Amino acid sequence: MMSLRRLLAVFRKEVWQLKRDRLTIAMIFGIPIIQILLFGYAINTDIRAIPTVVLNQSHSQLSRDLLSDLQASQVIKLKGNVHHVEEIETLLRQGKISIGIVIPPDFERRLQDSSRAAAQLLVDGSDPIILGAAKQLTAMPFHLNSQSVPPQNRLFEVRHFYNPEKRSAMNTIPGLIGVILTMTMVIFTAISLVRERERGNLELLINTPITSNELMLGKMLPYIAIGFFQVTLIMLLGLVIFDVPVRGQLVDVYIAALVFIAANLTLGLLFSTLAKSQLQALQMTIFIMLPSILLSGFMFPFDGMPEAAQWIAEILPLTHFERLIRGIILRGADLSELWPELLALIAFASVTMLLALKRFRKRLD
Amino acid sequence: MNSTAAIKCHGLTRRFGDLVAVDHLDLTVPKQSIYGFLGPNGSGKSTTMRMLCGLLLPSAGEIEVLGLKLPEASEALKQRIGYMTQKFSLYDDLTVQENLRFMAQAYALPTNTQKSRIAETLAAYQLDELRHQLAGTLSGGQKQRLALAAATLHQPQLLFLDEPTSGVDPQSRRDLWEALFNLVDDGVTVLLSTHYMDEAERCHQLAILDHGRKAAEGVPAEMIANLDAWVVKIDNGSIPALKQHLAQAKEVISLSQMGGQLRLLVKKNIADPVTYVQQQLAGLSEIEIAQHAISLTEPTLEDVFVVATQKPRKMDAPK
């Protein structure tokens, strides 16, 4: 027999406990708000403002008209002019631009020639969304002031780099390294200190001569090894199953991974000093995991997001790691070309570690 | 600094918000002895002990432990003290031996002596056969032995034990006390807290804590001998009316029932307590008490505790 009174007793007890659980209440409100804002506003698959440079060898009025039309479309954002094709390739590899526009010296003549495209788009093809946007540009109507253009003329020829077969796995697999590390690493350390507290081990631990530094570092070390193992596993699976090669230096991959793993572990440690229970620590990691996956550029191109979202994304370690790992694995970039991202991760790890150490006291008060 | 004192503190105070957990406590714990804190829950035993370990900051007062000023030197102190927490705080998911190895390394015992020291400790606390068992699966008494083994592994000069025997069977308690006396023979000072009277009596010196204050201090036997009250027992004292009536008597400090016997603490200023009690009962027509049923008896530490804390504990829950 079900008793309404007993049912109510359980119900009321749950409400009482819930009222005192601020983080759960924050989740009740926070998750929908974050999700709605991220998906509805920040994430925009109508991509805009793709960073672009121009190599204009034509210097004609028509070429300037073409560039102003391209900018008017808002799909690209001109970052400047270059003088050699090699510069475009370098900038693409460094991840500073996604599109390079080459307007040849005989641009005006080519416009009249139906057998050849008038200009070239050099595109970072590793991201299918960027590639798709570039394709759309080729269908852009070009309003020539007074001259007539044969309708069959192709305005652009697209040359995509890094992913000739246009496989999305090329982009996803390296990106997944960062996502998987974020999902596992933060949790490992986030629960580690708070678990000691919950199980009553902390009082013993802080009464030993083990220092805060030794404790924190000692808790991180095993997970760095585990992180390396995960990185290796994902790269192997990517290579064997999806044929995703590592174009850059393997040692660069591991250096980038080391710094990124450290950043996640220190963030976890900071959570662990803030949380009162393991559940709270887990809730905190969810708050960092959601925006990381959505804003880092893993799922949607970074350049398509509004500025506010980009600022938030710049704080997240995953954003910087995605740039690093895609640069190294897909575009064969060298760490020396990507050092600002590495520096950002080192700064993040240092700040969170210092905060965690500041929060953690070998005391019970 | 008195070189024979392991712990000295003066005016030690700790507040938690409005609550004063420890209130101007002065203590001197002599070296190579067992010093006990006796007090009910919430009397400030654990808080005091944690401040003396350097785990809690005092709100006021001075502490000197093994010649080190606290809280400034609390890190330097850690290597020289052992601390057994009230709740079992070793790792449930590590084996006995793993726990001890962890502690040996935490205290940076020299690698060449670590193994022998652990083996020695395993033997001393009868943990040899349990070495590969997970700590979480040990019985209460075994856990207590492991906790003491872990706290003494690095051979501390001073040992803090916070209610070491709560929830442990009598045989294990006896074994623990034997181990403690052995440690004292080796030069160790022990500070322990308890709420068991029989255990408190075993200490070399005792402080009775009450609401964060020291209510009494001394050698247990002397404290009992110098009890500032008479202990009167009444056989056949189970009648509720009798208890109720005596509880009203002005000179009765407390009374408690032990089976069919009623035990009264009567103020020392009464010259003849037996007659006093008889007089108190004279007016009661419905109760008949034989003359010889009322007599003086030997005081116990519990009587000392009751007088010291002066609590209106007129009726104790039966033990």
Side-chain angles (χ1 to χ4, degrees), chain B residues 200-206 218-227 299-301 304:
Chain B
E201 259 187 271
R202 288 168 168 255
C203 297
H204 293 111
Q205 264 203 74
L206 191 64
V219 176
E222 290 171 12
M223 292 169 92
I224 295 167
N226 300 332
L227 176 68
T300 65
L301 190 60
V304 175

Side-chain angles (χ1 to χ4, degrees), chain A residues 68-87:
Chain A
S68 66
D69 270 21
L70 278 170
Q71 276 183 288
S73 77
Q74 294 188 344
V75 175
I76 62 158
K77 185 177 182 187
L78 276 188
K79 300 273 238 188
N81 293 289
V82 294
H83 304 289
H84 301 284
V85 175
E86 291 77 25
E87 287 179 65

Side-chain angles (χ1 to χ4, degrees), chain A residues 195-211 214 219 362-365, chain B residues 14 50 53-57 71 74-75 78-79 83 85 87 89-91 93 102-103 106-107:
Chain A
R195 183 177 52 200
E196 303 259 9
R197 185 170 293 137
E198 266 189 347
R199 293 193 186 168
N201 304 128
L202 198 67
E203 194 172 350
L204 172 101
L205 204 53
I206 61 176
N207 203 52
T208 68
I210 295 174
T211 66
E214 288 159 356
K219 281 187 167 288
K362 281 184 75 183
R363 293 230 160 78
L364 293 169
D365 46 356
Chain B
R14 172 69 203 206
R50 285 166 173 175
C53 288
L55 290 179
L56 271 179
L57 290 177
S74 44
E75 281 311 300
K78 299 224 184 289
Q79 191 71 41
Y83 175 42
T85 53
K87 186 174 166 266
S89 57
L90 284 152
Y91 293 91
D93 46 359
F102 170 68
M103 291 302 277
Y107 284 95

Side-chain angles (χ1 to χ4, degrees), chain B residues 303-318:
Chain B
D303 300 324
V304 175
F305 178 84
V306 171
V307 172
T309 55
Q310 284 290 328
K311 271 199 216 157
R313 299 198 323 169
K314 292 279 173 168
M315 218 46 248
D316 253 5

Side-chain angles (χ1 to χ4, degrees), chain A residues 304-323:
Chain A
M305 301 189 301
E307 213 167 311
Q310 291 189 356
W311 275 108
I312 297 171
E314 291 287 357
I315 301 170
L316 300 169
L318 186 58
T319 307
H320 301 283
F321 184 69
E322 290 297 340
R323 291 178 191 155

